[in-house]
Amino acid sequence: MNWRPRALEDCAKFKSGGTPSKSNSAYWGGDIPWVGSGEMSQSFIYDTQLRLTAEGAENGTRAIPENTVLVVVRGMSLAKEFRIAITRRPMTFNQDVKALQCAEDIDPQFLFYALKARKEYIRDLATEASHGTKKLETSTLNAVEILVPETIEDQRTVAAVARNYDDLIENNRRRIALLEEAARQLYKEWFVRFRFPGHEHVKIIDGVPEGWARIPFPEIIDFKEGPGLRNYQYRDEGIPFLNIRTLGNGDIDLTKTQFLDPNEVEMKYRHFLVQENDHVVSSSGTLGRVATVRKCHLPLCLNTSIIRMRPRTRMGVWLLRAYLSHGDFLDQATARATGAAQLNFGPSHLKQMDILIPTEMVGETVEEELTPIFEQIKVLHDQNLNLTKARDLLLPKLMSGAIAA
């Protein structure tokens, strides 16, 4: 297989996106995904939080086909990473993102992995923009060189090796989503519809099954918010601490953590260290992101805007996890949240909340049902972590031709 260096401008043309007017309701709420830098934290984009109508897609942005490579060229994320993704359906995108229209002799999947293999190098090319953000100039990106096999068939062969890892990761993610949905439906069936085993023989009194009760949150849940850490405390290595960016897709991403000095943690923050099977919840910005701490995450410290949850009594670990993912918790927390620029809730708000607790027998039974679901989710998350590490170790050698495809 023959490889040769090519400048990125020789491989693809950059296309700009934009944001249709937010004041025009005719542009928003349709079926066309609109990609921002937030969605670019995932490698393969199937959908987005915000969507446009056909009219919106024609006014202020740009439509792109399936299998288009996208890169983030502006934003705070460039201080830490160069985000690359590829679309899995036709989409539109905003002004912080560029689309790459591949040349006829370049395979989009290959280009995606070639850029991914050089993401640290490209990240370091970013310069300062306004308000402390970072930017990547198009001229700078155009000059980036990648090694490219001469034929598109060879490019596809190389890309297929890396894609095998990502296919396994994606399959696991789908399995995780199905298991999480199963847990949500189980919670809804038992705790919203009250169709738990034996419900036919239980009276409903004041809107809840006999023997059940709404109990103040602090009596059931042990919760703790992280300390207000400051930039001068951050280190390049040491004990990682959680932040809002580390919580996403139902898991904790340790690649987005920052670090504290172990001696400082020992002296000042030991009581903010989390344990395996603790649940952590975002309490600022995007409220209610939930993840469960696994052994591979430890040691790990809390930070402000992240709240650690543990059951005290009368509630199992996994019933708590199901509850935190259910609307009742987030509805109560959001109703009490404060803040002008963005909503926040904290321990003072949680103390005002209550939680529906079943009889001891029902609680033990639902915990038995939920335990294998969430334990399997933990296994799949661990598998994906190992697959990601293996892929990232392989990718630079694969995309340089050092390892034969």
Side-chain angles (χ1 to χ4, degrees), residues 106-294:
I106 296 293
D107 176 63
Q109 195 79 53
F110 173 85
L111 182 62
F112 165 74
Y113 285 116
L115 293 175
K116 198 174 184 71
R118 303 212 68 192
K119 62 182 181 179
E120 284 80 15
Y121 168 77
I122 298 173
R123 176 202 60 202
D124 292 342
L125 298 175
T127 57
E128 295 292 334
S130 58
H131 307 295
T133 62
K134 293 274 192 174
K135 63 179 179 179
L136 277 167
E137 300 288 357
T138 301
S139 58
T140 301
L141 284 171
N142 273 330
V144 170
E145 283 194 345
I146 58 174
L147 285 173
V148 182
E150 287 187 353
T151 71
I152 198 166
E153 290 77 14
D154 285 343
Q155 295 171 30
R156 289 168 179 160
T157 298
V158 171
V161 176
R163 180 62 191 270
N164 287 338
Y165 286 87
D166 282 321
D167 284 345
L168 290 171
I169 292 170
E170 189 59 35
N171 286 338
N172 282 347
R173 284 178 178 160
R174 292 194 184 103
R175 292 172 65 189
I176 289 168
L178 290 172
L179 288 165
E180 288 177 338
E181 180 61 23
R184 280 191 291 270
Q185 290 301 322
L186 180 63
Y187 185 92
K188 184 177 182 179
E189 192 73 3
W190 289 35
F191 288 82
V192 178
R193 296 172 178 163
F194 300 135
R195 295 176 183 168
F196 51 89
H199 71 278
E200 303 92 340
H201 310 295
V202 178
K203 295 180 180 179
I204 301 296
I205 301 175
D206 294 331
V208 299
E210 186 176 14
W212 294 38
R214 297 203 73 90
I215 298 177
F217 201 87
E219 293 184 19
I220 301 297
I221 309 301
D222 174 21
F223 51 86
K224 181 182 287 292
E225 185 177 32
L229 301 174
R230 298 291 183 262
N231 288 353
Y232 69 84
Q233 296 175 280
Y234 300 172
R235 299 292 182 266
D236 293 331
E237 57 183 19
I239 292 180
F241 62 87
L242 291 160
N243 57 59
I244 296 297
R245 296 186 306 112
T246 62
L247 299 187
N249 299 317
D251 196 18
I252 297 168
D253 186 351
L254 290 179
T255 66
K256 297 178 180 178
T257 58
Q258 292 172 298
F259 301 90
L260 295 173
D261 182 276
N263 293 325
E264 186 175 22
V265 173
E266 178 65 24
M267 290 187 296
K268 296 173 61 175
Y269 301 124
R270 286 188 65 188
H271 54 300
F272 291 108
L273 291 170
V274 296
Q275 301 173 8
E276 184 179 5
N277 290 338
D278 280 347
H279 309 303
V280 289
V281 182
S282 62
S283 58
S284 180
T286 303
L287 303 181
R289 292 181 183 176
V290 185
T292 300
V293 178
R294 305 196 310 282

Side-chain angles (χ1 to χ4, degrees), residues 164-176 179 251-252 294-297 372-392:
N164 287 338
Y165 286 87
D166 282 321
D167 284 345
L168 290 171
I169 292 170
E170 189 59 35
N171 286 338
N172 282 347
R173 284 178 178 160
R174 292 194 184 103
R175 292 172 65 189
I176 289 168
L179 288 165
D251 196 18
I252 297 168
R294 305 196 310 282
K295 188 177 294 184
C296 64
H297 297 139
I373 294 176
F374 283 110
E375 289 293 345
Q376 182 61 26
I377 288 174
K378 286 172 61 178
V379 169
L380 293 171
H381 276 308
D382 282 341
Q383 288 180 3
N384 275 0
L385 180 61
N386 292 331
L387 285 166
T388 300
K389 289 179 179 177
R391 180 204 62 200
D392 290 347

Side-chain angles (χ1 to χ4, degrees), residues 9 15 21 53 57 60-61 139-140 198-199 214 232 256 337 355-356:
E9 65 181 346
K15 303 293 183 181
S21 173
T53 62
T61 186
S139 58
T140 301
H199 71 278
R214 297 203 73 90
Y232 69 84
K256 297 178 180 178
I355 182 170
L356 182 62

Side-chain angles (χ1 to χ4, degrees), residues 1 14 47 60 62 67 79 90 110 135 208 229 233 247 265 308 311 320 333 343 352 391:
M1 189 179 294
F14 286 94
D47 205 352
R62 186 189 297 270
N67 287 329
F110 173 85
K135 63 179 179 179
V208 299
L229 301 174
Q233 296 175 280
L247 299 187
V265 173
R308 183 268 294 152
L320 173 57
L343 290 176
Q352 303 170 28
R391 180 204 62 200

